[in-house]
Amino acid sequence: NAGVTQTPKFRVLKTGQSMTLLCAQDMNHEYMYWYRQDPGMGLRLIHYSVGEGTTAKGEVPDGYNVSRLKKQNFLLGLESAAPSQTSVYFCASSIRGTQYFGPGTRLLVL
Amino acid sequence: GDSVTQMEGPVTLSEEAFLTINCTYTATGYPSLFWYVQYPGEGLQLLLKATKADDKGSNKGFEATYRKETTSFHLEKGSVQVSDSAVYFCALSTDDYKLSFGAGTTVTVRA
């Protein structure tokens, strides 16, 4: 039981490049989330999903897109990366109100 | 909207010292309250939670009591260890699936 895994662990992008972050969970959870963590700001919700095929905007969705084609996977896309998107990205899944987090992806946009 | 305010860090303690991290919240309805811990280089882990007023959550020697009258959920540990060095996040949920986090408090315990 791997829990929540994230790919890649670290990535460097140039401004304007695109990339996709992959999150996978093997706990059969319905709910999944993408957060970003920035110093002094806690975690801010980017997008979330309450089930396969559904997505919704969180607190800071601009510049990101997501897809949940399979229940176990939740993808976060950056179409045109900007330096303001330099951050640590965490994926989570939840059941009965408790969220389980992945190890994070550190993204640097130059 | 819902929000969480927790004491600013960083907090530096010696081993066996008493730790308190203050957390207050603003929410509509009756939120569930959580403390998450993030060890260096890792994701967040649930430390403890409480779902109704006067509930006490506890885990690994940490405790927090849901105080509705003061809208608080302060985290305490009586005797910290070096291994408790981490970032601690207070959070609330009013709909059972979305969390609102505080900014986090960095705790460093020195031997």
Side-chain angles (χ1 to χ4, degrees):
Chain A
N1 190 341
V4 179
T5 58
Q6 293 182 232
T7 309
K9 287 184 171 51
F10 177 71
R11 184 77 184 268
V12 179
L13 289 179
K14 294 181 180 178
T15 296
Q17 287 185 318
S18 63
M19 79 163 293
T20 299
L21 283 65
L22 171 64
C23 175
Q25 54 99 1
D26 61 2
M27 297 176 282
N28 202 36
H29 291 167
E30 290 292 338
Y31 301 144
M32 296 187 73
Y33 313 81
W34 276 106
Y35 293 92
R36 59 178 289 172
Q37 182 180 28
D38 302 293
M41 302 188 74
L43 274 75
R44 293 181 291 169
L45 183 64
I46 304 171
H47 285 281
Y48 64 98
S49 168
V50 299
E52 181 178 320
T54 73
T55 63
K57 294 181 180 180
E59 185 184 350
V60 289
D62 294 341
Y64 305 95
N65 57 75
V66 287
S67 64
R68 182 101 181 266
L69 298 179
K70 294 182 179 181
K71 185 177 184 178
Q72 64 267 34
N73 295 338
F74 195 29
L75 278 62
L76 177 71
L78 285 72
E79 293 180 346
S80 179
S84 61
Q85 294 177 305
T86 292
S87 188
V88 181
Y89 292 86
F90 287 98
C91 176
S93 66
S94 77
I95 185 168
R96 292 189 291 274
T98 297
Q99 294 195 13
Y100 299 84
F101 285 80
T105 295
R106 188 173 297 273
L107 177 65
L108 174 62
V109 183
L110 301 175
Chain B
D2 299 339
S3 67
V4 175
T5 303
Q6 60 182 104
M7 64 184 285
E8 295 184 14
V11 174
T12 302
L13 302 164
S14 298
E15 253 188 332
E16 300 183 3
F18 185 85
L19 171 68
T20 299
I21 304 175
N22 290 339
C23 171
T24 57
Y25 67 89
T26 302
T28 53
Y30 301 97
S32 294
L33 301 173
F34 304 82
W35 278 101
Y36 279 82
V37 59
Q38 183 180 29
Y39 298 105
E42 298 183 9
L44 280 72
Q45 305 174 21
L46 178 66
L47 182 58
L48 54 85
K49 70 177 186 180
T51 58
K52 61 183 187 296
D54 299 324
D55 268 2
K56 178 185 282 187
S58 62
N59 186 26
K60 298 182 180 180
F62 289 89
E63 292 183 341
T65 301
Y66 189 142
R67 301 288 187 199
K68 185 168 180 286
E69 64 276 13
T70 55
T71 61
S72 65
F73 193 54
H74 305 322
L75 183 68
E76 297 181 336
K77 186 173 185 181
S79 177
V80 294
Q81 304 300 313
V82 172
S83 57
D84 294 324
S85 297
V87 182
Y88 293 82
F89 292 92
C90 187
L92 70 82
S93 175
T94 56
D95 55 16
D96 211 31
Y97 65 92
K98 281 194 291 181
L99 286 172
S100 296
F101 286 92
T105 302
T106 300
V107 173
T108 302
V109 180
R110 294 182 174 169

